[in-house]
Amino acid sequence: MNESLKKYMKVGLVHFMAYPSTMKGEGPIVETIKKVVLDDYFDAIEITTIKNLEDRKVAKSMLESSHMRVAYGAQPRLLTTKLNINDLNEEGRQKALENLKEGIDEAHEMGAVGFAFLSGKYEEETKEESFNALVKSTKEMCAYVKSKGDMKVALEVFDYDLDKKSLIGPADLALRYAQEVRKEYDNFGLMVDLSHIPLIHETIEESLVPVKDYIIHAHIGNCVVKNPEMPAYGDAHPRFGFPNGENDVDEVAAYLRVLINIGFLDGKKLPTVSFEVKPFGDEDSDIVIANAKRTLNEAWAKV
């Protein structure tokens, strides 16, 4: 592609994944957010909870000054607490919903334009009940978000049988779910992630084409699925070029081509496309981020 990728997307970074010590809302949040906002490669940043109110205030000020698009990832709020938004136990579902509503409040406070979450675990014999619980919770979230402003709500599609074992899930179920929620709420959509596609046992086309009308946000990352004994097996988001990884320059290029072909990257609406990469072992976060930028640059040249 000869045109700049900036004509097609806002390039983002999932801050709390690139700097995993911040994932629980603590650690060097202010220092690492500052690194991202000073890097003009990035037009968007995805943050999560910031527990310290003074740190939150400083981070908000930096983000307001940065001219960056801000999104809020609530996935850690569920994963670190083991809460399940499609819990068949009503008390458990309400706890998860309250947790996410707190996240929505924080996202609104931080000026986020999008709020993302994931579905929870399920049992095959009660899959339909879990689906209904997820739809109910999602609609409640969408209504709550609408009461606060124009923020979008996105469910991130995860694996359903390998690592996170989330209900959503395979493309056919993701489509049915999105259709059901969108009937009532136009502020809802799906977040797709290149790193999750091999974990879902689908090709890029199989994963994206069926849900093309509902995709509002995209992630780019890598994974290892060949053997459970291999380092970074599962949903670990290792750097591109990681041993036995599924995604590198060619796969990123293929992903971008499909996103263009389905109209997600149309050169008009500039959706957010963020790196979701994580240092493995003693790897340096900043080097892993530089790796991701080089990978996207090479991939875009091949599109």
Side-chain angles (χ1 to χ4, degrees):
M1 178 72 76
N2 292 324
E3 292 182 289
S4 168
L5 57 82
K6 303 281 187 170
K7 289 186 176 182
Y8 288 83
M9 67 186 81
K10 294 278 190 182
V11 181
L13 180 72
V14 181
H15 164 264
F16 54 87
M17 189 64 77
Y19 298 99
S21 63
T22 68
M23 194 174 294
K24 294 183 178 180
E26 300 165 332
I29 293 171
V30 169
E31 302 95 310
T32 52
I33 287 179
K34 186 173 182 178
K35 285 186 178 186
V36 181
V37 300
L38 286 174
D39 186 344
D40 66 2
Y41 190 91
F42 295 115
D43 315 296
I45 184 171
E46 298 179 41
I47 61 172
T48 192
T49 188
I50 303 173
K51 291 181 180 178
N52 182 282
L53 295 182
E54 184 58 32
D55 284 352
R56 193 186 300 177
K57 182 179 177 181
V58 173
K60 179 181 180 181
S61 177
M62 286 195 297
L63 294 171
E64 285 176 342
S65 303
S66 70
H67 214 308
M68 295 182 84
R69 180 182 291 168
V70 180
Y72 187 100
Q75 299 92 328
R77 297 185 72 101
L78 297 175
L79 293 170
T80 62
T81 58
K82 308 293 187 192
L83 292 172
N84 183 346
I85 196 61
N86 44 264
D87 198 329
L88 296 183
N89 176 286
E90 183 60 16
E91 184 180 351
R93 190 185 75 85
Q94 286 295 337
K95 282 183 180 179
L97 189 59
E98 285 307 309
N99 184 302
L100 289 181
K101 284 183 176 180
E102 289 174 8
I104 290 166
D105 291 342
E106 189 177 341
H108 183 70
E109 176 188 342
M110 297 299 290
V113 299
F115 179 87
F117 70 106
L118 79 160
S119 59
K121 294 184 185 296
Y122 68 100
E123 299 295 335
E124 193 63 39
E125 58 269 23
T126 52
K127 190 173 184 178
E128 190 64 20
E129 290 91 333
S130 294
F131 180 87
N132 292 335
L134 177 62
V135 169
K136 182 178 180 181
S137 295
T138 307
K139 289 181 176 180
E140 289 182 56
M141 276 191 288
C142 289
Y144 189 71
V145 167
K146 265 193 181 292
S147 73
K148 293 183 143 320
D150 297 328
M151 191 161 56
K152 297 288 186 183
V153 179
L155 175 126
E156 184 173 7
V157 177
F158 275 78
D159 73 274
Y160 59 91
D161 69 348
L162 194 147
D163 189 324
K164 298 299 188 290
K165 300 180 181 179
S166 299
L167 178 62
I168 310 293
D172 57 345
L173 196 61
L175 174 60
R176 180 185 162 207
Y177 163 67
Q179 289 173 330
E180 190 63 34
V181 178
R182 191 71 75 79
K183 285 177 185 176
E184 292 183 47
Y185 293 96
D186 60 1
N187 60 340
F188 174 77
L190 297 174
M191 177 187 292
V192 295
D193 189 331
L194 176 62
S195 64
H196 294 160
I197 291 174
L199 300 171
I200 305 172
H201 321 295
E202 294 174 344
T203 66
I204 294 171
E205 290 82 1
E206 288 170 344
S207 198
L208 301 187
V209 173
V211 299
K212 63 183 178 63
D213 295 333
Y214 301 94
I215 300 172
I216 60 172
H217 195 118
H219 281 168
I220 304 175
N222 190 17
C223 68
V224 175
V225 299
K226 291 181 176 68
N227 187 328
E229 302 301 316
M230 290 176 175
Y233 174 79
D235 187 25
H237 291 276
R239 60 177 165 80
F240 298 104
F242 194 86
N244 301 299
E246 296 294 319
N247 299 323
D248 207 337
V249 172
D250 288 342
E251 289 75 22
V252 174
Y255 183 64
L256 294 170
R257 285 189 208 103
V258 174
L259 289 175
I260 290 170
N261 291 340
I262 63 177
F264 179 72
L265 300 178
D266 62 2
K268 298 174 184 175
K269 57 182 178 285
L270 295 179
T272 302
V273 179
S274 294
F275 296 120
E276 189 168 10
V277 290
K278 183 181 179 183
F280 184 80
D282 61 358
E283 290 180 343
D284 183 283
S285 291
D286 297 326
I287 294 173
V288 169
I289 292 167
N291 164 316
K293 292 190 285 187
R294 292 188 186 101
T295 301
L296 180 56
N297 289 343
E298 287 186 47
W300 188 251
K302 289 188 168 194
V303 171

